[in-house]
Amino acid sequence: MGYWPAGTVFASIVDPGVGSHRRSVAVKTSMGHIIITPDNGTLTHIKRMMGIDAVRVIDEEKNRLTNSGESYTFHGRDIFAYTGARLAAGIIALEDIGPEADADSLVELPVHDAQKDGDTVSGTIDVLDVRFGSLWTNIPRSLFAQLNVPYGSRVEVTISNGKQVLYKNIIAYAKSFADVNVGEPLVYVNSLDCMAVAINQGSFARAYNIGTGQAWHLSLRKAPRVIYE
């Protein structure tokens, strides 16, 4: 979000609880951005990484698309996009949206930070790149760099769900997909500067039936040296 100027308005809508008692909120970040979103955990990383200076609970009776009062399942259009557009156009101000709330009252999802233990770094698989089937972890490149693994070396990758290990293999640590053969797996640095695994021109997630979420863990370590006598 640092690429956008202060005052930019975002509508973030991941809302399985639409129409329930979950709150609709607008927040102002420490960088001056405004985010319109359901209060269901979508602001977890924004709060941790950027900070939130102000919270307003959206008054849904005042901030709603005309003639949508009986619609309870399309708040993305009727409330969030509508309110965000009026804010961006300067028709209303943040203070007009509704009553103040404390940032500590926002719903937050559980977060497990990546960690290093000896010669291994581990974290969770947070994102599936649905276009390509690549798996993105929360392991920052800076943490992986502590293993001193150069590009072109091999890395032991272990993926587990709970106590069940579903994948364990030694694969290449590559700068780009072109560094490995078609159909070959690789470890690489994604666009978020975190570690990811993929298959060149294939879907890693589909090939090995791997999912995402807090229960999915991935660990990396420099492949052990094998000596043949």
Side-chain angles (χ1 to χ4, degrees), residues 3-229:
Y3 298 104
W4 297 87
T8 303
V9 178
F10 298 87
S12 173
I13 306 160
V14 180
D15 197 12
V18 62
S20 68
H21 294 296
R22 65 97 185 93
R23 299 186 302 180
S24 301
V25 297
V27 305
K28 184 177 181 181
T29 73
S30 59
M31 298 180 67
H33 303 117
I34 296 175
I35 303 172
I36 312 295
T37 186
D39 182 23
N40 58 9
T42 61
L43 293 165
T44 300
H45 294 300
I46 296 293
K47 183 179 177 182
R48 291 177 68 243
M49 300 173 68
M50 298 181 63
I52 292 175
D53 288 349
V55 180
R56 292 278 174 168
V57 178
I58 298 174
D59 184 334
E60 296 183 2
E61 292 186 5
K62 295 180 179 179
N63 298 286
R64 176 185 283 277
L65 186 66
T66 304
N67 297 324
S68 68
E70 296 303 316
S71 172
Y72 298 97
T73 60
F74 217 56
H75 286 180
R77 177 198 67 187
D78 299 338
I79 295 173
F80 300 121
Y82 177 77
T83 302
R86 297 179 78 217
L87 273 170
I91 297 173
I92 58 174
L94 183 65
E95 294 74 18
D96 301 325
I97 286 178
E100 281 188 285
D102 196 303
D104 289 338
S105 71
L106 293 169
V107 174
E108 294 186 58
L109 301 175
V111 175
H112 302 285
D113 292 326
Q115 55 186 300
K116 180 177 181 290
D117 184 10
D119 62 352
T120 301
V121 294
S122 59
T124 54
I125 302 174
D126 287 352
V127 177
L128 167 63
D129 185 348
V130 294
R131 298 166 298 171
F132 306 111
S134 306
L135 300 171
W136 292 13
T137 76
N138 69 335
I139 303 171
R141 176 186 53 82
S142 57
L143 184 64
F144 176 75
Q146 295 179 27
L147 299 183
N148 296 314
V149 179
Y151 285 117
S153 296
R154 313 293 285 184
V155 179
E156 184 181 86
V157 179
T158 304
I159 299 175
S160 60
N161 187 327
K163 296 182 179 180
Q164 183 179 12
V165 175
L166 300 174
Y167 179 87
K168 190 168 187 175
N169 197 8
I170 293 176
I171 63 180
Y173 172 43
K175 282 186 177 180
S176 71
F177 287 62
D179 290 342
V180 300
N181 295 321
V182 174
E184 186 178 348
L186 67 148
V187 175
Y188 69 103
V189 180
N190 67 15
S191 59
L192 300 180
D193 206 30
C194 287
M195 307 310 297
V197 294
I199 293 177
N200 186 12
Q201 300 186 35
S203 171
F204 196 104
R206 187 179 304 115
Y208 300 105
N209 197 28
I210 305 298
T212 61
Q214 295 295 313
W216 290 91
H217 296 267
L218 185 146
S219 63
L220 303 168
R221 73 178 182 123
K222 189 173 184 178
R225 184 181 179 187
V226 178
I227 301 177
Y228 296 96
E229 297 183 353

